């Protein structure tokens, strides 16, 4: 399995193990509401993150004092599947999450589980570990978390604003509710908040690199445009000088214009600044431009 930017972010976040049982419960709750399957009949969590998989059994023991009925060998390639289907374990998990097996109609975020600020942060960590991804910033900026529960998505939308000060975007994709961000600053802030400062720094570095490349490209384009204008102006001036020479008018020009004409003829690729320095005495760039424009004007008049 290739190690993606998203995998690196999850590896960082998985290292932030909750110290308090309430935070462990909140993080496990976030995992359950954003995992592959969570209902009264059982739990199914699928991940490719080895770091998340290594942390998951310890988290569930601390949060619910239960073990998984099925868990993979960490050396297993590809996706790793964790399952709980024992009814007694499910009763314990549902009760700790604030649900009653006999009255669960739709999953939602039970506020007592995320009452404390530290628990709300833990909940969002769990949500990202189970249902989140972040795009490599070298391609484009996007972070998202997905859940099959409509109420969970709506309540998480408000939780994001409560914790981060901004609202994510919401969409439905193949029947799944998706919360996402596309602004690099918000993505960086969220990754830092979740416990992935290295990934957040990667977002910032990618943004700075793109801005630098854009600046360089703008400068190059501007230089190319300016060079084209200089070449076109010089060609116009040389054409005007040839017209004046062919009509025998060059020798009758005022001394200043004759001096400018000879300088341009000898230095067809020189800039106005360079030509101005060749005058006797040296003159300013605008003054040099004025003399050359006079030559063009006289050629057109004749």
């Amino acid at each position: 399995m290739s190690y993606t930017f998203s995998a690196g972010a999850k590896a960082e976040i998985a290292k932030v193990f909750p110290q308090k049982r309430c935070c462990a419960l909140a993080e496990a709750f976030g995992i359950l509401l954003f995992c592959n399957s969570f209902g009264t009949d059982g739990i199914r969590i699928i991940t490719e993150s080895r770091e998340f998989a290594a942390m998951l059994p310890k988290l569930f023991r601390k949060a619910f004092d239960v073990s998984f009925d099925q868990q993979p060998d960490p050396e297993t390639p590809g996706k790793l599947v964790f399952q709980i289907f024992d009814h007694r374990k499910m009763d314990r998990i549902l009760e700790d999450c604030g649900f009653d097996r006999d009255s669960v109609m739709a999953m939602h975020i039970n506020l007592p589980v995320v009452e404390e600020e530290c628990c709300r942060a833990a909940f969002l960590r769990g949500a990202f570990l189970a249902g989140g991804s972040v795009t490599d910033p070298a391609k484009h900026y996007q972070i998202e978390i997905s859940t099959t529960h409509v109420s969970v998505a709506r309540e998480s939308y408000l939780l994001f604003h409560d914790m981060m000060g901004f609202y994510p975007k919401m969409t439905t994709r193949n029947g799944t509710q998706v919360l996402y961000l596309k602004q690099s600053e918000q993505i960086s802030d969220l990754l830092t908040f979740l416990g992935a400062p290295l990934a957040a720094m990667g977002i910032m570095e990618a943004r700075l690199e793109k801005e630098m490349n854009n600046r360089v490209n703008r400068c190059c384009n501007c230089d190319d445009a300016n060079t084209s204008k200089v070449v076109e102006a010089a060609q116009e001036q040389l054409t005007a000088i040839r017209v004046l020479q062919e009509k025998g008018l060059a020798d009758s020009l005022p001394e200043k214009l004759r001096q400018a004409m000879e300088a341009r003829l000898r230095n067809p690729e020189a800039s106005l600044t360079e030509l101005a320095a060749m005058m006797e005495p040296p003159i300013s760039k605008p003054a040099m431009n004025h003399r050359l424009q006079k030559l063009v004007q006289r050629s057109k008049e004749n």
Side-chain angles (χ1 to χ4, degrees):
M1 180 189 71
S2 60
Y3 201 69
T4 63
F5 185 84
S6 188
K10 286 191 176 183
E12 276 193 90
I13 294 169
K15 294 177 183 177
V16 186
F17 193 80
Q19 298 303 307
K20 298 188 293 184
R21 194 257 172 178
C22 63
C23 292
L25 174 60
E27 185 163 338
F29 192 33
I31 291 169
L32 291 171
L33 293 181
F34 286 84
C35 72
N36 302 81
S37 177
F38 172 44
T40 56
D41 56 343
I43 296 165
R44 182 179 175 85
I45 303 169
I46 302 176
T47 183
E48 292 189 53
S49 171
R50 267 52 193 166
E51 295 80 6
F52 176 37
M55 178 271 282
L56 199 51
K58 294 184 289 184
L59 180 69
F60 269 58
R61 280 196 297 270
K62 184 162 188 170
F64 307 115
D65 194 24
V66 300
S67 58
F68 285 95
D69 295 324
Q70 177 185 318
Q71 68 182 66
D73 183 333
E75 301 303 319
T76 302
K79 296 181 178 180
L80 305 175
V81 181
F82 295 80
Q83 292 192 90
I84 294 177
F85 36 76
D86 181 274
H87 282 191
R88 288 172 298 178
K89 293 179 182 179
M90 286 305 305
D91 286 343
R92 172 68 184 273
I93 292 171
L94 288 168
E95 181 182 353
D96 287 351
C97 291
F99 297 121
D100 183 343
R101 173 187 287 276
D102 297 326
S103 62
V104 172
M105 299 298 292
M107 291 296 171
H108 60 91
I109 301 176
N110 285 310
L111 295 181
V113 181
V114 293
E115 186 174 2
E116 300 297 328
E117 186 172 327
C118 58
C119 295
R120 292 195 291 274
F123 176 88
L124 291 178
R125 281 200 301 273
F128 180 77
L129 287 170
S133 66
V134 56
T135 304
D136 187 336
K139 298 175 181 177
H140 63 275
Y141 305 120
Q142 180 152 331
I143 190 171
E144 62 180 46
I145 58 171
S146 305
T147 178
T148 57
H149 308 295
V150 176
S151 295
V152 171
R154 291 172 179 167
E155 292 161 356
S156 297
Y157 174 85
L158 299 174
L159 188 60
F160 263 104
H161 183 264
D162 179 49
M163 297 301 293
M164 303 302 302
F166 49 74
Y167 289 110
K169 302 288 186 181
M170 289 185 65
T171 189
T172 301
R173 185 187 302 151
N174 299 324
T176 299
Q177 310 303 310
V178 182
L179 303 173
Y180 66 94
L181 300 169
K182 284 180 174 283
Q183 294 185 24
S184 60
E185 296 88 349
Q186 293 181 349
I187 296 172
S188 179
D189 289 346
L190 178 58
L191 287 172
T192 300
F193 175 78
L194 294 177
L198 294 180
M201 190 177 298
I203 298 286
M204 295 168 61
E205 288 174 350
R207 186 186 68 193
L208 290 173
E209 184 176 353
K210 287 179 181 179
E211 289 177 353
M212 181 64 71
N213 289 337
N214 290 337
R215 192 176 298 118
V216 169
N217 289 335
R218 284 196 298 271
C219 288
C220 289
N221 292 337
C222 183
D223 289 343
D224 289 343
N226 288 338
T227 299
S228 297
K229 289 179 181 178
V230 169
V231 171
E232 290 173 3
Q235 290 174 341
E236 183 183 32
Q237 293 154 13
L238 290 168
T239 299
I241 291 169
R242 282 195 295 271
V243 169
L244 293 172
Q245 289 176 328
E246 290 170 359
K247 294 187 176 182
L249 300 173
D251 292 337
S252 62
L253 292 172
E255 175 61 25
K256 291 181 179 180
L257 294 186
R258 254 198 336 271
Q259 193 181 24
M261 177 184 70
E262 291 169 0
R264 172 52 83 195
L265 283 172
R266 290 194 302 269
N267 304 277
E269 297 180 357
S271 66
L272 288 175
T273 301
E274 292 168 336
L275 291 174
M278 298 174 190
M279 298 296 99
E280 293 291 343
I283 61 176
S284 67
K285 177 181 174 181
M288 188 69 212
N289 183 57
H290 178 71
R291 292 185 186 184
L292 293 171
Q293 288 302 314
K294 278 286 188 182
L295 291 173
V296 173
Q297 182 181 347
R298 291 210 176 194
S299 73
K300 291 179 178 178
E301 290 173 352
N302 293 277

